[in-house]
Amino acid sequence: MTSNSRVAIDVGGTFTDVVELIGASGEIRFGKVPTTPSQPTAGVLDAFATTEAPMAEVAMFTHGTTLGLNALLTRTGARTAVVGTAGFRDVYLLGRTDRRTNYDITYRPPPALVERYDTFEVPERSLFDGSVHRPLDEEAARQVAATIAERGYDSVAVAFLHSYANPVHESRMREILEEVAPGVVVTVSHELSREYREYERTSTAVLDAYVKPIVRRYLERLEGELASGGFGGRFLMTRSGGGAMTASSAREQPVSLILSGPAGGVIGATAFGELIGQPNLITIDMGGTSLDASLVIDGGPVLHQGAEFEQLPINTPSLYIHTIGAGGGSIGWLDDAGALQVGPQSAGADPGPASYGKGGTQPTFTDAALAVGYMGTTAALGGRLSLDDRLALSALEPLATKLDMTPLALARGMIRISTTKIMGAVRAITVEVGRDPKDFALLSFGGGGGLVAVDVADELGIPTVIVPPGQGAFSAFGMLFADVQHDFARTAVTPLAELDSPAVEASYVEMAASAGEALSAEGFAPAAQVLTRSVDVRYAGQEHTVTVPVPDGTTGVAAVVEREFTELHERQYGHVMDDPIEVTTLRLRATGRVEKPTLPLLAARESGALSSEGTRDVFVSAEQPAVPYALYTREELLAGDEIAGPAVIHEHTATTVIHAGDRLRVGSYGEMVISVKAGA
């Protein structure tokens, strides 16, 4: 028996979030289970066990994981070799030779993923126009492959010069590796990026090869366990560019998963913003380990080319997300000057904050929030985990003594420091790129977002905070809206005036054919396939480009792109020039549309008035040590209900705090819309 029920599971550093859309009723259920770092699939199966529908009745499962990212952070990926063109062996290790911090004599770049011992070269050479200057030396290629097999490498990245223009040599090198070293996993750069810039393309291939064996084993094991449980639906993974990819595609191109952790939340924010008529949003997603800030502008997420991980380029489209180490598990500590800091170190899932009662002894943000009264001890997080305020105070005590403070004053200070760091993250994606936070609403989610959102908005002058339903598992909720996406690109450095040429159109036709083939193979009918064109444009002589969309059916493309480029360049850089304009890259995004869930409307209160369930004292400051905050349970709120601050609204997966002068109104879909200092 099958149904149209859907499940989305997002594995975080502390909790694994699960959202279930029950097909028959349209009801959405949210849940949390502890993350199991030592057994990654166990946490996913534990989350599946909380769903109402059996695996056999789930039509679609969308999954987000940080497995590849964690392997990079801890440098526990596969032992990887790199094969390049003779004379260009050191492209990857030399990089761009730039220095990010000019005045720090202690600065050291992050450790490389490979050593020079792991790099190899093969005689061959293609030119920028795709012509072959030197054929591949197959005998030398076989010798390199034999050495790679002999040394016991797990994977190999092949990145030849100008393979974006002519991939034949890379493809042949892969065939030789598969023949001579059959146990080695192979990544070829042209399948990940058909763009110029050799270092960036090589780095992308190395990152992919470094995590590929780990991700493959994980997905193969998870697919087997799901199949054993009766699951036969579509299995999707969220990707860095803001969509999803099939699990089979993820096994082949896991580099697209590396920065996908926060993607679900941004996808959900885009969809939910459209639903409630809020096209411009700042999003903050505060989880157990980190906080992710992003933007939704004019109803769409902000994408950028050339993302990085620890200064290692990833030449694939990614959502524009700013991440800082400020989560519920962020640890309070003293720096060398004796000043209080919070994060980026985190207590993680094991042992977690002290108040979890799992052996943690260091004070965390969660312990501070519990101590001041933002959180309580009566309602279990996710229905499973009860907090212990005595353990929280015990963890705060040693640090408070060193600072000659009370534990409650220390807790308030930790919350203030975290709030300031989050403000900095929001400023980085708004003020520092020429955007005014006041022009946006703040959409807050994640297990800790509701604790700080109003304070962040107040400090930055943001008038409205929106807390979506199921905020603690909203990233998993967003995954329900993720379409399958493929990104194609071709380098074509050419004057803008030639954008209407047959050669450019031929490149787009070639990419469209590849896109249609990929989407059809994944089960998408032509009516569900959407192809979107864009171009990277710059003034001649510039290094950086601006991506300009090309609407479908546009005539006189060059003139339209010139107008859009001028407007975007002035917005992003504050000026325009009279210099010639040139195109550098042609882009095509192929989208396979999945059916979007329909959210039920929340019932309105027909009789009676909303009343609080009591109060809880909150430590605001030494002068206000016990301010009574009204208590509410979110699941009891109905559409149109209004709450005046100060108040604490608890729900199954999170808590929201509003202060004196703030006013909260419940929207039609259960969202809480907070007018910041509306009564001030």
Side-chain angles (χ1 to χ4, degrees):
M1 176 182 177
T2 60
S3 75
N4 58 349
S5 293
R6 301 186 192 179
V7 172
I9 295 176
D10 180 31
V11 180
T14 305
F15 286 104
T16 293
D17 300 327
V18 55
V19 174
E20 179 184 15
L21 174 68
I22 300 173
S25 64
E27 178 189 357
I28 295 178
R29 301 176 69 247
F30 300 89
K32 281 181 179 289
V33 298
T35 293
T36 54
S38 60
Q39 297 178 294
T41 59
V44 177
L45 297 176
D46 289 345
F48 247 116
T50 68
T51 62
E52 181 177 294
M55 284 190 190
E57 297 183 14
V58 175
M60 184 180 296
F61 167 45
T62 309
H63 180 32
T65 179
T66 58
L67 188 71
L69 176 63
N70 292 341
L72 289 167
L73 288 169
T74 58
R75 294 298 193 269
T76 54
R79 186 174 178 224
T80 303
V82 184
V83 179
T85 300
F88 294 84
R89 173 184 178 185
D90 296 313
V91 162
Y92 177 68
L93 294 176
L94 287 174
R96 288 293 173 192
T97 69
D98 57 344
R99 185 183 176 95
R100 302 299 176 87
T101 54
N102 292 325
Y103 305 108
D104 182 2
I105 62 173
T106 65
Y107 169 77
R108 295 291 182 275
L113 301 180
V114 300
E115 303 292 338
R116 194 170 193 271
Y117 175 80
D118 305 315
T119 62
F120 303 86
E121 56 186 8
V122 174
E124 69 84 38
R125 183 71 177 267
S126 297
L127 302 181
F128 72 95
D129 60 359
S131 60
V132 177
H133 177 70
R134 183 179 186 181
L136 176 69
D137 186 333
E138 294 202 6
E139 182 179 349
R142 289 181 179 278
Q143 291 175 355
V144 167
T147 302
I148 289 172
E150 180 183 333
R151 293 186 185 177
Y153 288 99
D154 300 312
S155 63
V156 58
V158 180
F160 288 154
L161 197 65
H162 299 305
S163 63
Y164 62 88
N166 184 349
V168 171
H169 288 176
E170 280 194 356
S171 297
R172 180 57 184 150
M173 186 69 213
R174 173 170 55 189
E175 292 173 355
I176 292 171
L177 283 162
E178 290 174 345
E179 178 185 338
V180 178
V184 179
V185 176
V186 182
T187 290
V188 289
S189 72
H190 74 270
E191 291 186 349
L192 303 174
S193 173
R194 292 292 296 272
E195 301 178 49
Y196 71 159
R197 302 185 189 279
E198 301 308 316
Y199 167 57
E200 284 77 4
R201 186 161 47 80
T202 303
S203 173
T204 304
V206 172
L207 286 163
D208 186 81
Y210 189 75
V211 302
K212 184 177 285 186
I214 295 171
V215 172
R216 273 190 177 180
R217 286 194 297 269
Y218 169 74
L219 289 177
E220 288 168 357
R221 179 176 179 181
L222 181 58
E223 285 179 302
E225 291 175 336
L226 292 175
S228 298
F231 175 73
R234 175 176 281 171
F235 182 7
L236 302 178
M237 302 287 295
T238 54
R239 52 179 291 169
S240 306
M245 61 198 305
T246 62
S248 58
S249 295
R251 288 198 300 270
E252 298 305 315
Q253 297 185 2
V255 70
S256 296
L257 305 177
I258 289 173
L259 301 179
S260 67
V266 181
I267 298 168
T270 303
F272 196 73
E274 179 181 2
L275 191 66
I276 63 174
Q278 288 282 357
N280 298 305
L281 297 167
I282 298 168
T283 72
I284 58 171
D285 175 6
M286 187 175 183
T289 304
S290 61
L291 177 132
D292 303 303
S294 190
L295 292 177
V296 176
I297 299 176
D298 296 332
V302 178
L303 288 169
H304 70 144
Q305 311 297 330
E308 289 187 347
F309 168 80
E310 292 188 350
Q311 302 180 25
L312 300 175
I314 304 175
N315 209 22
T316 58
S318 300
L319 291 172
Y320 181 47
I321 297 174
H322 187 74
T323 301
I324 61 171
S330 293
I331 295 170
W333 55 284
L334 301 182
D335 62 20
D336 292 340
L340 177 63
Q341 303 290 341
V342 182
Q345 305 95 325
S346 174
D350 186 14
S355 53
Y356 284 8
K358 295 167 62 177
T361 57
Q362 295 178 289
T364 66
F365 176 88
T366 295
D367 299 318
L370 178 63
V372 300
Y374 280 1
M375 304 174 73
T377 60
T378 55
L381 292 177
R384 294 167 173 261
L385 180 63
S386 296
L387 302 182
D388 189 325
D389 55 353
R390 294 170 300 176
L391 292 176
L393 289 170
S394 296
L396 291 162
E397 183 72 43
L399 202 56
T401 301
K402 291 181 181 179
L403 293 170
D404 195 24
M405 302 172 70
T406 67
L408 293 181
L410 171 65
R412 173 55 64 185
M414 289 177 61
I415 293 172
R416 179 61 183 165
I417 289 171
S418 295
T419 301
T420 302
K421 291 177 66 175
I422 296 166
M423 288 166 49
V426 173
R427 287 178 60 86
I429 63 171
T430 53
V431 177
E432 294 179 13
V433 293
R435 298 191 180 276
D436 190 343
K438 298 183 180 68
D439 296 334
F440 297 80
L442 180 65
L443 186 76
S444 167
F445 51 93
L451 299 171
V452 298
V454 166
D455 290 326
V456 171
D458 185 30
E459 292 287 346
L460 294 174
I462 302 171
T464 305
V465 172
I466 301 169
V467 183
Q471 59 168 317
F474 188 74
S475 286
F477 169 81
M479 294 176 186
L480 297 175
F481 294 85
D483 292 316
V484 171
Q485 292 178 348
H486 295 271
D487 290 294
F488 300 85
R490 296 290 185 272
T491 288
V493 181
T494 182
L496 178 61
E498 297 180 14
L499 190 58
D500 294 299
S501 69
V504 169
E505 181 61 26
S507 293
Y508 273 120
V509 169
E510 178 194 349
M511 289 189 285
S514 298
E517 182 180 339
L519 290 174
S520 297
E522 292 171 345
F524 291 96
Q529 300 178 16
V530 179
L531 305 182
T532 307
R533 296 183 179 187
S534 62
V535 290
D536 287 359
V537 190
R538 67 185 181 187
Y539 289 113
Q542 281 188 326
E543 171 69 12
H544 300 291
T545 61
V546 174
T547 301
V548 179
V550 181
D552 191 33
T554 299
T555 57
V557 175
V560 173
V561 169
E562 181 176 7
R563 183 173 63 251
E564 289 292 323
F565 168 71
T566 301
E567 293 178 2
L568 287 170
H569 195 279
E570 184 168 22
R571 182 190 303 170
Q572 293 184 21
Y573 300 107
H575 69 281
V576 295
M577 299 188 295
D578 295 326
D579 293 34
I581 300 173
E582 65 182 10
V583 174
T584 63
T585 307
L586 310 176
R587 299 191 182 279
L588 182 78
R589 166 158 284 194
T591 302
R593 297 288 191 187
V594 301
E595 185 180 353
K596 302 298 187 296
T598 301
L599 301 187
L601 293 170
L602 186 66
R605 193 172 299 279
E606 297 180 356
S607 62
L610 175 67
S611 59
S612 71
E613 301 165 1
T615 63
R616 182 163 66 231
D617 288 343
V618 172
F619 180 88
V620 175
S621 66
E623 293 74 27
Q624 295 179 291
V627 177
Y629 275 52
L631 300 178
Y632 298 87
T633 298
R634 185 171 186 178
E635 286 79 5
E636 301 299 322
L637 302 182
L638 297 175
D641 283 349
E642 295 188 0
I643 298 172
V648 174
I649 300 93
H650 169 78
E651 59 186 283
H652 184 62
T653 58
T655 299
T656 301
V657 177
I658 62 175
H659 305 300
D662 301 329
R663 296 195 66 85
L664 180 154
R665 188 176 191 279
V666 181
S668 300
Y669 293 94
E671 73 277 13
M672 298 190 297
V673 182
I674 303 166
S675 299
V676 181
K677 293 294 182 283

